Amino acid sequence: MAVKTKPPKIADDTARRPMAAGRIWLVLAIALLVGGILNAPGLRKTALGQPLGWQRDVAIFLGDRLNEVSNPLLLDQPRAGLQALAGRSGDDDVDLSLPSPTRPANPQLPPKVPVKKSFSPLAPLKVAIAGDSLSITPGESLINLSPATGSISTIGSVDGHISTGLARPEVFNWPAHLSEVISAGGLDAVVLTLGSNDDQNLTGDGGVGPLLSPEWETEYRRRVGGLMDSINAKGATLFWLAIPPMSNDVRYDTRYKPMNEIVRSEAAKRPGKVVLVETEPVLTFFGGGYAQYLPTADGGFIQIRTGDGIHFTRTGGDLVAEAVLAAMRKTFDLDSWRTPSTTSASKKGATTTTGPTPTTTEVRKKK
């Protein structure tokens, strides 16, 4: 009896054949293109935030082209929906607009100095502290020193954002941010430190270069004045800290001094509403300039600047904070609540003496 045998199976090499390299690259290119279209808003924002240079220009060009496809076809909506579910709506928004000054460029009459406002423990001066990385240590010192005044209330912690300024609103838009902060907090004053990151070409609306060219200075002055007026329009007084001396003398003399002068001249146009707090006098000795250490009363020295020659030690931050408090005392009445007042009665010729306004602690005890 013959045994039937099954014919041998022929291996299907086509099923196991590796994909050609060209196809792999094609699939990857399509995947990247689809991913880029779906995430076009985020890619554009990332491109705008890159360091200035040709790489940024190319990235922005590609991001804009992807956005031109994604937005009309609503292909960016899945990303927006996921952001909304995560509570991060608006993450891809980029505000490149910066306000212009609202004060007339050449007013016929000098600006009026506002009436000096009084503050006390029961009605304290509400202050927010914000700025670039140079704002953080002095801001913390100001928060620590303010309670001793009895009439200043700092709101929250220091609102510090490193590597920010007015040069690149796509990285961080300070006028828009501070407008929201002031509106939410009902603030009386803002202590602001900006400028040390602005010695570069300007981007955003009105962007121009090169650094410190006449066109650059005109645009930077517009941004400075616009920020000042936007803060004043919310009812807050602005205390702007001048850029301090740096260990890099050339950079400070050729870049930061002219920028300080722009802020100084714009503040002078707004007396009582914008105060430039000069930092150099409290951070230097023996004729000015950069100082890493300052002499102490006992004949020693104490470090006021960190090793990078830019930022502050705690002692340096305290010195700057004390300069801010001194400027506030010149601008506001922070201490009259401590002094007893005497009121003459029109009848019987008698006088009534009242003590100082009770502190917050005393008020709580009475309750």
Side-chain angles (χ1 to χ4, degrees):
M1 179 177 172
V3 179
K4 294 182 178 180
T5 59
K6 294 181 179 180
K9 292 183 179 180
I10 301 175
D12 186 4
D13 292 339
T14 58
R16 298 181 181 179
R17 186 180 303 166
M19 186 180 294
R23 288 188 177 182
I24 293 175
W25 285 111
L26 179 61
V27 171
L28 288 175
I30 293 174
L32 288 173
L33 179 61
V34 173
I37 291 174
L38 294 175
N39 294 283
L43 291 176
R44 179 175 179 272
K45 182 176 181 178
T46 300
L48 287 168
Q50 290 184 9
L52 299 181
W54 68 267
Q55 296 96 330
R56 177 179 182 269
D57 296 338
V58 171
I60 291 174
F61 175 81
L62 294 176
D64 286 343
R65 302 295 79 77
L66 290 172
N67 211 45
E68 289 171 358
V69 176
S70 177
N71 186 262
L73 298 177
L74 302 180
L75 296 176
D76 53 0
Q77 291 307 298
R79 177 183 174 90
L82 290 174
Q83 289 177 333
L85 290 174
R88 299 176 59 183
S89 296
D91 265 9
D92 294 331
D93 295 343
V94 180
D95 186 0
L96 301 179
S97 63
L98 293 163
S100 294
T102 55
R103 183 182 179 279
N106 297 299
Q108 296 180 350
L109 298 174
K112 293 182 179 179
V113 179
V115 177
K116 200 171 186 179
K117 296 180 181 179
S118 298
F119 296 93
S120 69
L122 297 181
L125 176 71
K126 296 180 181 179
V127 181
I129 306 164
D132 55 30
S133 60
L134 284 174
S135 71
I136 297 174
T137 302
E140 292 170 344
S141 294
L142 185 58
I143 291 173
N144 294 336
L145 296 174
S146 292
T149 67
S151 53
I152 296 178
S153 174
T154 52
I155 307 301
S157 58
V158 180
D159 188 9
H161 298 265
I162 63 173
S163 301
T164 62
L166 295 179
R168 301 192 58 187
E170 71 276 11
V171 174
F172 195 82
N173 193 310
W174 273 108
H177 176 70
L178 288 175
S179 179
E180 294 178 0
V181 170
I182 297 171
S183 297
L187 300 174
D188 301 301
V190 174
V191 177
L192 184 64
T193 305
L194 287 181
S196 62
N197 300 303
D198 287 341
D199 56 334
Q200 57 179 304
N201 291 350
L202 306 177
T203 61
D205 289 354
V208 68
L211 172 66
L212 293 179
S213 63
E215 296 79 12
W216 187 98
E217 291 188 2
T218 298
E219 172 59 16
Y220 193 67
R221 182 179 296 276
R222 181 189 76 82
R223 297 184 182 196
V224 168
L227 176 57
M228 290 176 174
D229 286 344
S230 67
I231 291 174
N232 290 160
K234 295 287 185 179
T237 302
L238 174 60
F239 293 84
W240 190 310
L241 273 64
I243 304 171
M246 307 284 188
S247 60
N248 187 336
D249 294 336
V250 174
R251 185 180 185 184
Y252 180 71
D253 291 338
T254 61
R255 298 183 178 189
Y256 292 146
K257 276 190 174 181
M259 292 165 64
N260 275 342
E261 187 53 42
I262 290 175
V263 177
R264 186 177 292 110
S265 62
E266 289 300 310
K269 298 175 184 177
R270 301 160 175 85
K273 294 184 178 181
V274 179
V275 179
L276 179 67
V277 181
E278 301 286 359
T279 55
E280 185 170 359
V282 300
L283 297 171
T284 61
F285 72 108
F286 295 158
Y290 177 81
Q292 187 82 3
Y293 297 84
L294 285 183
T296 59
D298 59 2
F301 286 86
I302 190 167
Q303 186 175 356
I304 62 169
R305 306 296 287 272
T306 59
D308 63 7
I310 298 174
H311 296 88
F312 305 101
T313 64
R314 175 57 58 208
T315 300
D318 290 346
L319 292 173
V320 175
E322 288 169 357
V324 173
L325 289 175
M328 287 182 170
R329 282 193 163 93
K330 288 183 179 180
T331 307
F332 303 118
D333 174 7
L334 302 178
D335 300 303
S336 65
W337 62 273
R338 299 177 183 275
T339 306
S341 59
T342 302
T343 305
S344 298
S346 57
K347 296 181 180 180
K348 300 182 181 179
T351 60
T352 303
T353 302
T354 59
T357 305
T359 64
T360 306
T361 303
E362 292 170 341
V363 172
R364 287 175 180 169
K365 286 182 179 179
K366 289 180 180 180
K367 290 181 178 180

